[in-house]
Amino acid sequence: MLFFFRVDASFQIGSGHVMRCLTLAKALRDRGARCIFICREHEGHMVDKIRQEYFECIALAKISEIYRIHYYHGSVLAHEDWLETNWQNDAQETIKALGAARVDWLVVDHYALDKRWEEALRPYVQKIMAIDDLADRHHDCDLLLDQNLVANIDTRYQYLLPEHCATLLGPQYALLQPDYAELHPRTPPRTGAVKRIFVFFGAADQHNQTGRAVSAFLNMKRHDIYLDVVVNSNSPHGAEIQGLTQLHANIFVHDALPSLAPLMMQADLAIGGSGSTSWERCCLGLPTLVITLAENQKPIAAELHQRGLVRWLGHYDAVTDDILFEALQMAIDENSLESWSRACIGVTDGDGVKRVASVLALNSESKLQARLARLGDEDLLLRWVNDSLVRANAFNSETITAQTHQNWFFKRLRDPEYCKIYIVETEDGLPIGQVRFERIDGKWDIHYSLVSFARALGLAKKLLSTAIKSFRIGYSGEQVFGRVKQGNLPSQKVFEELGFAGSQGGGKLSIVICSDAGSWINNSIPELLLSLMSMDHTCVWVNNADDLDGGDICIYLSYGRIVSEERLSKFRNNLVVHASDLPKGRGWSPTSWMILEGQSQIPVTLIEALPKVDSGPIYDQIWIDLEHADLVDEWRIKLSRATVSLVQDFVRNYPVSLEGKRAQQGEPSFYPKRGRLDSQLDVGKPLIEQFNLLRIVDNESYPAFFDAYGSEFVLQVQKRTSTKH
């Protein structure tokens, strides 16, 4: 994937925007993405820093003073002067910098850019992500990140974003360097007396609050306390601070640190602003005296102060030296840091950059996994149920209170016989939705919701399939499925959204699917169930034919046991899908045997199940083409798609589909059952001559192996999708 970042740094802007974008870019690079920065060369820019981190950076030329004056006329944004040109000119320069590349995401972190600029860039990129802290302008983006904790975080962008835009809101998405997440679970709360203080007001610190903090500390004459001061040597006040501290052995001045985390871990108390560093300090449980440096920091400081996470002393132009001195003296003398520190630790775990990178990398091919909901998922589910789209589709659109939701959640957790809630996540643990199974009148109704950032990716079907598969594994006996419901939308509309439009059949059949519990075909059965349910049929899934009570149609898929005539008689029709050109290839694992024979076209046949195995009349047949390099997972996907298609067509046209049956013609042939020894390689032959054997081995159940030097060696066979030269 290709990402472009449009972000600036300057003495006026500060370094925080670039630093958090660098953190995100590193996380994306670790996932194989290419990241390119576009930055204007303001006074105090960080182009060199970006390049030192081995990222490409396209530098936009600094604008002359005459040019700036000409283009500032008619500005409408509070921070428009940060751009030092107008948005139209910046947009054109950015478009030129993008070139002809296919840009997956354009990440914009700039208070001077808004909807107008984003609309101009939209034709040149696939998606746009805006990073914002202000909620003071409209955006035309697909994803918005605001990592701050403010009083109205859930509603502040309500009228500023397009309807399709997803949001990532709150410190759980704070873009912190990886060492914060690593240190967070190992961070003890501060206890005892203050022994070390950390001072940092950003790389620029135009108003020299660092110098004021150092002076306040010196006036205390506490030689028993150490002071760590971080200031950029290029800062307008860097030299002054160096001179102020050089004669004091307990004061250490630091510059150009790769991370502030080590100093924060050592500190008992901090003095600083209320920018992005707020979340670094909270992550490591560091109590802080805050002086705000910009208007956008005020609502953050106010909320953190109200929650007891910081002590906000006021804005820089209102905080006197006496106020700072007295607040510092009080924090040191109180000797009560533990509860303050514990509250800070609970704000964020530092994994925000991992979550954001996972969201940006999410696509329709992402692998998903499901787990049962835990007590700790209460807040997550509350946020999801109060999502604006979910509430808009509900009968009662009012926000669900925390207490109401807790009562509902606890009741369902305590009733596992009638309710099971699954959280569906990506492989790296990013939750993308929930699926809830509720048993009503003997049937399991399915309720689901997707988080906003996943809705436009076509993941609903995969979400449901993943949860149904996990539900099947954790449940013995038959499972009878009723309807699928998304919020309070009509079920048929839900199925249309899931990609089953036009699949409505006659309806009201009782259909059973019977498969072996450990079969590979189980990965595809949930989608088949959903498609049959979309035709308004009642569906049952079992792993043992002995559980069958009867119905209209029973479908046996990869079921390895013989079913009695008595059991078959309980259904009007019994179907089997067999991957051979019957009557040739009856028996076991026909696809594997045909691949060993060198065949590249495989017939998949739908037949009526009879007591005599694989002998029933044929209803339909599909031929699939295999590539010579298809390994077992790849050709099984093709086989399962053909299987699902055959069953869907049969049920959709039922009972007319019965009229096309034909008897098997010709002399039958039989394949034997494959065992472990059938996966043994011949050490006397080259691997290329045994490649078809490698294509059919199962790495988990029947891996390829060979004997040598008195031992057995197992080979895991995987295809490398890309190579580096």
Side-chain angles (χ1 to χ4, degrees):
M1 299 180 72
L2 176 60
F3 291 79
F4 272 83
F5 288 78
R6 177 66 187 94
V7 60
D8 283 339
S10 71
F11 290 134
Q12 182 184 22
I13 296 171
S15 62
H17 298 268
V18 167
M19 292 304 297
R20 65 186 179 188
C21 284
L22 272 174
T23 299
L24 177 57
K26 290 175 183 177
L28 292 168
R29 182 169 62 187
D30 289 343
R31 295 168 178 259
R34 181 187 177 194
C35 299
I36 302 174
F37 284 74
I38 302 173
C39 304
R40 193 169 297 282
E41 292 182 316
H42 302 297
E43 292 292 334
H45 68 79
M46 297 179 68
V47 172
D48 293 339
K49 167 67 175 175
I50 293 168
R51 290 170 178 167
Q52 288 169 7
E53 298 288 349
Y54 302 103
F55 288 104
E56 300 172 63
C57 185
I58 300 171
L60 305 182
K62 180 182 177 182
I63 304 299
S64 69
E65 184 67 23
I66 295 176
Y67 194 86
R68 290 203 302 269
I69 293 172
H70 174 71
Y71 276 110
Y72 281 170
H73 180 70
S75 63
V76 297
L77 301 181
H79 296 81
E80 196 154 340
D81 61 325
W82 284 17
L83 204 57
E84 297 191 354
T85 183
N86 66 0
W87 68 265
Q88 295 98 326
N89 182 63
D90 193 273
Q92 289 304 313
E93 291 186 80
T94 302
I95 291 169
K96 182 178 179 181
L98 295 177
R102 182 191 183 280
V103 181
D104 292 287
W105 282 95
L106 172 61
V107 181
V108 189
D109 189 352
H110 211 303
Y111 295 163
L113 300 176
D114 67 348
K115 176 182 179 179
R116 300 167 299 170
W117 186 94
E118 292 155 358
E119 285 178 338
L121 269 294
R122 183 160 289 286
Y124 303 92
V125 299
Q126 300 296 311
K127 293 184 179 180
I128 297 174
M129 171 184 172
I131 302 178
D132 196 4
D133 308 290
L134 307 180
D136 67 343
R137 60 203 189 281
H138 286 85
H139 289 282
D140 178 24
C141 56
D142 303 283
L143 181 66
L144 180 132
L145 165 65
D146 185 338
Q147 63 185 21
N148 299 296
L149 186 61
V150 294
N152 59 339
I153 186 65
D154 293 324
T155 58
R156 65 197 306 233
Y157 291 96
Q158 188 170 358
Y159 303 108
L160 300 176
L161 304 175
E163 186 175 330
H164 72 274
C165 182
T167 55
L168 305 177
L169 305 175
Q172 68 267 32
Y173 297 108
L175 299 176
L176 308 187
Q177 293 169 289
D179 50 348
Y180 289 92
E182 180 185 344
L183 290 169
H184 176 78
R186 299 191 281 116
T187 300
R190 274 54 174 185
T191 57
V194 173
K195 299 175 285 295
R196 201 171 195 108
I197 300 173
F198 170 77
V199 177
F200 179 66
F201 280 92
D205 190 16
Q206 282 186 301
H207 308 294
N208 197 22
Q209 297 306 297
T210 304
R212 294 184 65 200
V214 172
S215 296
F217 176 76
L218 290 174
N219 290 337
M220 294 178 60
K221 299 183 178 7
R222 290 295 298 263
H223 304 293
D224 58 323
I225 298 177
Y226 293 95
L227 189 73
D228 287 300
V229 180
V230 179
V231 63
N232 192 325
S233 58
N234 295 324
S235 167
H237 307 285
E240 177 185 342
I241 293 168
Q242 287 283 356
L244 187 65
T245 61
Q246 62 183 354
L247 298 179
H248 299 275
N250 61 329
I251 301 179
F252 305 92
V253 179
H254 309 267
D255 176 31
L257 297 174
S259 172
L260 300 176
L263 292 182
M264 289 186 181
M265 281 291 283
Q266 296 176 42
D268 302 296
L269 181 69
I271 309 173
S274 193
S276 57
T277 316
S278 299
W279 317 121
E280 297 173 350
R281 296 187 303 245
C282 282
C283 182
L284 300 184
L286 181 57
T288 305
L289 304 177
V290 163
I291 299 174
T292 49
L293 307 177
E295 288 297 316
N296 66 287
Q297 292 186 4
K298 287 183 178 180
I300 301 170
E303 183 68 14
L304 295 180
H305 180 86
Q306 191 273 331
R307 293 176 181 240
L309 301 169
V310 304
R311 292 181 184 174
W312 181 26
L313 309 186
H315 205 52
Y316 77 92
D317 55 3
V319 177
T320 65
D321 292 343
D322 288 341
I323 291 175
L324 177 55
F325 178 86
E326 291 172 6
L328 183 57
Q329 185 72 60
M330 182 184 298
I332 292 173
D333 291 344
E334 279 181 355
N335 196 22
S336 59
L337 298 177
E338 184 172 355
S339 60
W340 189 357
S341 178
R342 287 187 184 277
C344 291
I345 291 174
V347 171
T348 179
D349 60 6
D351 260 333
V353 67
K354 176 183 173 183
R355 296 185 181 98
V356 176
S358 295
V359 171
L360 293 172
L362 190 66
N363 59 65
S364 60
E365 301 301 317
S366 296
K367 294 183 179 180
L368 304 180
Q369 57 195 17
R371 61 169 176 81
L372 283 167
R374 301 185 285 257
L375 200 59
D377 295 314
E378 179 184 348
D379 289 342
L380 177 70
L381 291 168
L382 177 60
R383 287 200 301 272
W384 287 352
V385 77
N386 279 327
D387 174 270
S388 58
L389 184 61
V390 173
R391 299 282 13 107
N393 286 327
F395 289 125
N396 181 2
S397 61
E398 295 295 320
T399 299
I400 305 298
T401 66
Q403 187 60 57
T404 299
H405 179 265
Q406 185 182 85
N407 294 341
W408 173 89
F409 185 50
F410 284 8
K411 181 179 179 180
R412 276 152 181 78
L413 287 182
R414 295 178 62 182
D415 194 14
E417 291 298 312
Y418 287 87
C419 181
K420 293 185 184 293
I421 304 174
Y422 286 85
I423 304 297
V424 181
E425 304 172 326
T426 61
E427 284 185 304
D428 55 1
L430 175 72
I432 68 158
Q434 63 89 19
V435 179
R436 185 174 80 254
F437 299 89
E438 290 201 345
R439 192 170 186 174
I440 301 173
D441 297 330
K443 298 179 182 179
W444 291 98
D445 281 352
I446 306 173
H447 305 255
Y448 80 98
S449 65
L450 272 166
V451 69
S452 60
F453 58 74
R455 287 176 191 148
L457 300 176
L459 285 169
K461 191 186 299 184
K462 183 177 287 189
L463 174 101
L464 286 164
S465 295
T466 301
I468 291 172
K469 182 184 175 185
S470 294
F471 185 39
R472 174 71 252 174
I473 292 172
Y475 193 89
S476 60
E478 72 172 21
Q479 289 171 311
V480 183
F481 294 98
R483 301 303 302 262
V484 176
K485 301 177 181 179
Q486 180 195 45
N488 289 285
L489 298 178
S491 292
Q492 188 57 36
K493 183 177 179 181
V494 172
F495 284 118
E496 290 173 3
E497 292 178 351
L498 290 173
F500 296 116
S503 63
Q504 184 73 36
K508 302 305 182 184
L509 293 174
S510 173
I511 301 176
V512 178
I513 298 175
C514 184
S515 67
D516 280 335
S519 172
W520 60 271
I521 198 67
N522 291 338
N523 291 323
S524 299
I525 288 178
E527 182 178 344
L528 176 57
L529 284 170
L530 290 168
S531 68
L532 298 178
M533 292 165 66
S534 76
M535 302 178 200
D536 204 26
H537 303 305
T538 298
C539 294
V540 182
W541 188 3
V542 300
N543 295 137
N544 189 336
D546 293 340
D547 295 327
L548 299 177
D549 293 325
D552 295 304
I553 301 173
C554 185
I555 306 160
Y556 296 91
L557 300 178
S558 191
Y559 188 68
R561 284 167 284 181
I562 295 176
V563 181
S564 68
E565 186 172 2
E566 178 186 358
R567 191 70 60 184
L568 293 173
S569 67
K570 292 179 177 289
F571 295 87
R572 290 160 60 186
N573 290 99
N574 296 272
L575 306 178
V576 171
V577 177
H578 194 75
S580 71
D581 192 12
L582 294 171
K584 296 179 181 178
R586 293 179 181 176
W588 300 85
S589 309
T591 306
S592 295
W593 287 113
M594 283 188 277
I595 290 174
L596 285 174
E597 294 167 358
Q599 297 187 42
S600 59
Q601 290 187 314
I602 306 296
V604 187
T605 308
L606 179 69
I607 64 172
E608 182 76 22
L610 298 179
K612 186 177 180 181
V613 176
D614 300 335
S615 64
I618 296 172
Y619 291 115
D620 201 357
Q621 189 176 70
I622 295 175
W623 288 73
I624 58 175
D625 294 320
L626 304 187
E627 301 294 331
H628 293 297
D630 281 346
L631 297 182
V632 63
D633 289 340
E634 294 167 308
W635 60 255
R636 278 179 173 175
I637 289 174
K638 294 180 179 180
L639 184 56
S640 64
R641 287 173 179 167
T643 298
V644 169
S645 178
L646 284 169
V647 174
Q648 286 175 332
D649 288 345
F650 180 89
V651 174
R652 184 181 294 112
N653 298 312
Y654 190 83
V656 176
S657 49
L658 297 173
E659 299 173 2
K661 69 178 180 181
R662 57 183 174 83
Q664 297 184 24
Q665 301 291 326
E667 191 69 23
S669 62
F670 296 87
Y671 286 122
K673 187 174 183 179
R674 294 183 59 80
R676 188 187 73 87
L677 293 179
D678 290 305
S679 297
Q680 184 173 11
L681 295 165
D682 187 340
V683 295
K685 294 181 179 180
L687 280 180
I688 194 64
E689 292 184 12
Q690 304 176 82
F691 184 64
N692 282 336
L693 176 59
L694 296 177
R695 292 174 60 197
I696 67 171
V697 296
D698 186 320
N699 286 337
E700 299 299 324
S701 303
Y702 295 106
F705 71 94
F706 63 91
D707 293 330
Y709 306 110
S711 298
E712 186 177 288
F713 297 88
V714 172
L715 294 182
Q716 298 289 322
V717 184
Q718 295 178 328
K719 181 185 292 185
R720 180 178 291 177
T721 55
S722 63
T723 57
K724 295 181 179 180
H725 299 281

